[in-house]
Amino acid sequence: MKKRCAPLARNAVIASLVAGAVAAGIVVVGTVRDDRPPPPAPGPAARTVLAEGPGAALSAGELSALIAAQEHRLAGNAGDHLSWAVLGSAYLAQGALLGDRTDFRRAEKALRRSLEALPGEKGNADAQLGMAALANARRDFAAAKRWAESVRARSPEQWTAYPVLIDAYSGLGSYGVAAKALHTLEELRPRTVQTLLRGSQVQRDNGRYEDAEALADEAVSRSGGRAERASALYRLGELAWERGEPKQAAAYFDTALQLEPGHHPSLAGRGRASAALGRTDDALRDYKAAIERAPMPEYALRAGELYESLGMSGEARAHYEKVRRLAAKARKYGVSEELTLARYEADHGLANAAVQRLAQEWKRGHRSAHVSDALGWALHRAGRTKEGLKYLKRATTPGLRSALSLYHRGEMERSLGQDGPARRHLREALRLNPYFSPLLVPQAKRAVSVLGNPPPGGPVDVEGEPWTTDAELPPEDDETAEDDERAGDGGTREDGERAGDREERSPRGRDGDTSSGPRDSGAHRPRERDSRDTEEAGESREAGEAGEARETGEAGEAGEARDTGETEGTAGDDRPPATTPRGPSPAGG
């Protein structure tokens, strides 16, 4: 018990020192020497980092002052492990806020100096969690999980480990385990801004969008600093965008930018919303500002696709080349931009290069819905649609609902002649967010128009004959036990699904994640029940696919952990797609 309570005791000591602190003093508590007076107590910024961990939201001015004070402090006391940990966390926060990846390298150097002064196994949880947060920022979620789980194993009551764990589990696609970590965080640190924002993230990933919005809204009301409030408003803006409300999204981003004018995620978010609203000049201006503020490949890709949709091919090509350059630069600082680069390659470059990149991500254990979607689409673009559809089915299982993923799945099904499922998923993509891509929305609308309405005559039975009004319906006892389990999960799923489709459902419903993961009630996703009932005519033509769908279950099972103490591994059949040997891609992959 003494071992568990060590971080809490340390925080209590810090709190008692802070009580008489001078507000302007930004110095971390260090070892008191007999030949000099005690150092001042931590100032506001340092106290925030100590209390909130590496995820603390500070303004650019606060971070700059904190970094200067910590460097001055360490110049005369290089063995102060706590000051090194705070300095590393401050560099990490500054790098994320300003989009400067060079700060990530400085953060790693400071955090490793802290661990040299006091190793993690001897109680240096601050530096270990800083390393975990740095790994998340670099999109090395497996490494982040190892760092944070080491702290949790030693000090389960240290709440600052759980936000980092939630980010890592989500990046790995272990959404059920992330929900369990959230449950612990809510018990240890209820209703704080960090807890509310992580709760919003987990609810969104599990398809509970109204709950996600309510938590983000509460985070806005509870936020103290301007940077913290801007982050919560950005989350609200993203949720509004994902449900197809660009005007509301733009309003949230506007408010965030009033608080933090250089908040680059809100700049890029407002650019995307403005494009959906037809304000293309405003959108391009925001994208330019976002890229100048934080030269991230994702922003360049979005801008390039907007230029292409406007027929400005020269500007589009320039931004696509910028995607490559920025991804290569990020790699120098240990930041993986493989997902963005693969998305670019799949649609605008070499599809086989995209497959190769994403297959490597899959091997690293990065199996989120985003990676599943990108890998499946890359396989389709490389001419391997049937194989790619397995990954798209994993990406579009109940939980995170992405209009882009639904479009990808619908297009792949259409290319395989599966008109019923294709019609349903393309229509759902447009219902969910009619503005999801300036390039792809017109294509989705044309595909829906070509598919038209379902053929007359209603559903077809397994013999290929239409049911008639006086035909005897199948007996109720033909329903499987899986149907009962489906109903118990809190809502009906798509009427036309086959048993094989249900078997390949995400491991959020299996692998021990059912106890605490939020369940998708189905109430938060737009559905068209009346039209869908008639769209299933094409479904039975794919009845033979049921066996194949059962084989695809491996894509949903390998990445999910068994419990919060999960270890990394790969299920026997959950292997990434084989890639054909080829020369280096232009992107340097």
Side-chain angles (χ1 to χ4, degrees):
M1 187 61 186
K2 290 182 180 179
K3 190 176 183 181
R4 286 189 176 190
C5 294
L8 301 179
R10 186 204 68 190
N11 288 340
V13 171
I14 292 172
S16 65
L17 290 169
V18 167
V22 178
I26 305 178
V27 183
V28 172
V29 175
T31 304
V32 179
R33 290 173 46 181
D34 294 335
D35 58 348
R36 64 181 182 181
R47 293 200 304 269
T48 301
V49 172
L50 287 169
E52 302 293 322
L58 298 172
S59 67
E62 289 173 321
L63 288 168
S64 178
L66 174 58
I67 288 170
Q70 292 303 103
E71 289 177 338
H72 178 73
R73 166 71 174 168
L74 288 163
N77 189 10
D80 186 350
H81 72 277
L82 195 54
S83 292
W84 281 117
V86 172
L87 178 62
S89 295
Y91 271 130
L92 172 58
Q94 180 173 265
L97 182 64
L98 303 181
D100 186 356
R101 270 66 182 277
T102 59
D103 280 331
F104 290 179
R105 182 176 289 174
R106 298 185 184 101
E108 181 176 6
K109 181 178 178 180
L111 292 167
R112 291 199 180 280
R113 287 291 300 271
S114 178
L115 289 169
E116 288 173 4
L118 181 68
E121 58 269 19
K122 294 186 178 180
N124 194 353
D126 297 287
Q128 286 187 305
L129 292 177
M131 291 295 292
L134 176 62
N136 276 330
R138 286 173 162 171
R139 299 184 182 88
D140 187 355
F141 302 112
K145 171 189 151 187
R146 290 193 295 271
W147 282 108
E149 284 188 343
S150 175
V151 174
R152 187 196 59 193
R154 188 173 60 251
S155 304
E157 296 180 9
Q158 178 145 344
W159 79 269
T160 50
Y162 293 93
V164 187
L165 279 171
I166 290 169
D167 290 345
Y169 291 142
S170 299
L172 293 169
S174 301
Y175 299 114
V177 188
K180 290 183 178 181
L182 172 65
H183 180 70
T184 304
L185 175 62
E186 289 172 335
E187 290 182 337
L188 294 174
R189 191 80 167 180
R191 318 318 292 182
T192 65
V193 174
Q194 272 215 53
T195 301
L196 291 166
L197 287 179
R198 288 317 190 285
S200 178
Q201 170 188 327
V202 170
Q203 298 286 44
R204 167 189 172 268
D205 289 345
N206 285 276
R208 303 178 66 90
Y209 289 95
E210 291 180 1
D211 293 340
E213 183 180 9
L215 290 171
D217 190 64
E218 185 178 350
V220 171
S221 66
R222 289 179 177 271
S223 58
R226 297 166 68 90
E228 191 173 61
R229 188 176 179 85
S231 296
L233 285 164
Y234 168 74
R235 175 62 57 82
L236 282 172
E238 283 293 285
L239 291 169
W241 167 259
E242 289 172 0
R243 64 174 181 265
E245 297 180 7
K247 186 175 181 179
Q248 184 64 53
Y252 285 128
F253 296 138
D254 277 337
T255 308
L257 288 165
Q258 290 170 12
L259 293 168
E260 284 287 318
H263 193 248
H264 59 87
S266 292
L267 278 170
R270 190 174 67 180
R272 186 167 55 181
S274 296
L277 295 169
R279 303 198 293 256
T280 54
D281 288 344
D282 292 342
L284 293 173
R285 185 163 48 250
D286 278 340
Y287 277 134
K288 181 181 179 182
I291 294 169
E292 289 175 350
R293 178 74 170 183
M296 299 177 68
E298 179 183 358
Y299 300 162
L301 179 58
R302 287 192 207 170
E305 291 183 338
L306 178 56
Y307 276 118
E308 185 176 346
S309 73
L310 298 171
M312 304 170 71
S313 57
E315 290 84 350
R317 284 194 300 271
H319 279 78
Y320 291 151
E321 283 302 315
K322 190 174 290 187
V323 172
R324 295 176 181 273
R325 292 197 306 272
L326 295 178
K329 184 178 180 180
R331 192 180 302 117
K332 293 180 181 179
Y333 299 107
V335 180
S336 171
E337 292 287 0
E338 293 300 286
L339 179 57
T340 300
L341 195 53
R343 284 173 169 163
Y344 157 74
E345 293 282 13
D347 284 322
H348 312 287
L350 302 173
N352 283 328
V355 172
Q356 187 176 50
R357 292 179 185 283
L358 292 166
Q360 291 301 317
E361 288 296 292
W362 197 265
K363 287 179 180 178
R364 294 173 66 199
H366 294 176
R367 300 173 185 183
S368 67
H370 306 290
V371 174
S372 297
D373 164 58
L375 178 53
W377 184 247
L379 286 165
H380 164 68
R381 298 284 290 179
R384 299 157 64 178
T385 302
K386 191 173 182 180
E387 185 180 356
L389 187 56
K390 300 176 183 180
Y391 293 93
L392 256 300
K393 287 181 177 180
R394 171 188 167 98
T396 53
T397 48
L400 179 65
R401 303 300 285 176
S402 161
L404 179 62
S405 295
L406 289 165
Y407 166 77
H408 285 162
R409 179 171 178 175
E411 276 294 284
M412 293 166 69
E413 289 164 336
R414 188 166 74 99
S415 72
L416 293 173
Q418 301 174 15
D419 291 353
R423 184 183 298 108
R424 182 173 68 252
H425 291 122
L426 289 170
R427 287 181 174 180
E428 186 175 357
L430 292 171
R431 286 197 304 270
L432 187 62
N433 185 355
Y435 316 99
F436 67 87
S437 165
L439 275 180
L440 301 179
V441 164
Q443 297 181 30
K445 291 179 177 178
R446 285 195 295 271
V448 168
S449 178
V450 169
L451 287 169
N453 292 320
V460 178
D461 66 11
V462 294
E463 300 298 329
E465 298 296 332
W467 288 346
T468 59
T469 55
D470 57 351
E472 185 177 353
L473 295 176
E476 292 184 3
D477 55 2
D478 279 351
E479 295 179 340
T480 65
E482 289 182 85
D483 294 328
D484 296 332
E485 294 175 0
R486 180 182 63 188
D489 280 345
T492 58
R493 295 176 183 161
E494 297 164 351
D495 295 340
E497 282 190 304
R498 296 172 299 280
D501 282 337
R502 291 193 297 271
E503 289 176 5
E504 60 137 29
R505 285 299 179 192
S506 165
R508 285 189 294 276
R510 303 189 335 221
D511 290 349
D513 289 338
T514 57
S515 61
S516 62
R519 310 308 266 162
D520 180 16
S521 68
H524 307 314
R525 297 198 304 274
R527 300 283 191 182
E528 289 185 2
R529 300 288 300 178
D530 296 339
S531 61
R532 191 183 64 226
D533 291 342
T534 61
E535 288 172 7
E536 306 302 326
E539 294 273 347
S540 61
R541 288 197 297 271
E542 291 88 45
E545 188 189 348
E548 172 201 335
R550 283 190 292 273
E551 297 175 1
T552 68
E554 77 277 344
E557 294 185 34
E560 192 75 287
R562 301 298 179 185
D563 52 35
T564 55
E566 64 174 353
T567 58
E568 292 179 52
T570 305
D573 290 335
D574 199 15
R575 296 183 293 272
T579 56
T580 54
R582 61 173 191 84
S585 75

